[in-house]
Amino acid sequence: MANVARSLGITPVEVIALVHEGRLRGLEVGSPSRWRIDLDSVDDYLDEQAEITRRAALWRQSQEASFPELWGRGALRRDE
């Protein structure tokens, strides 16, 4: 689990929270207990985060567009 936390750039406690939220698949096994995280769920989580970031960027772009740009007429506005 420490490897998963390190690769995601979060703490082990945050990884466990993601498991409890259902965003990662994992289970606690053994005595003393250790967490095992399904690596496919890590890939799915990263894909989900990339999609959220992509949509946020598209939303920001749409909010910055002028009406002529939306209608396909007029000059493009360039903020510098």
Side-chain angles (χ1 to χ4, degrees):
M1 187 209 16
N3 292 339
V4 171
R6 196 170 25 259
S7 68
L8 293 177
I10 60 177
T11 67
V13 171
E14 291 171 310
V15 171
I16 294 170
L18 289 171
V19 170
H20 288 298
E21 293 170 8
R23 298 178 73 194
L24 290 176
R25 290 183 305 275
L27 58 115
E28 200 171 7
V29 296
S31 178
S33 65
R34 297 183 54 112
W35 280 92
R36 299 289 186 233
I37 308 299
D38 178 60
L39 292 181
D40 287 337
S41 73
V42 174
D43 289 338
D44 293 343
Y45 174 78
L46 290 173
D47 289 344
E48 175 188 327
Q49 295 305 303
E51 180 63 14
I52 289 169
T53 301
R54 184 187 74 81
R55 289 181 182 194
L58 289 172
W59 177 254
R60 280 191 304 275
Q61 288 175 353
S62 73
Q63 296 303 304
E64 294 172 359
S66 69
F67 283 107
E69 290 169 324
L70 293 174
W71 296 330
R73 299 188 299 269
L76 294 177
R77 185 182 71 198
R78 303 244 187 250
D79 295 331
E80 295 182 21

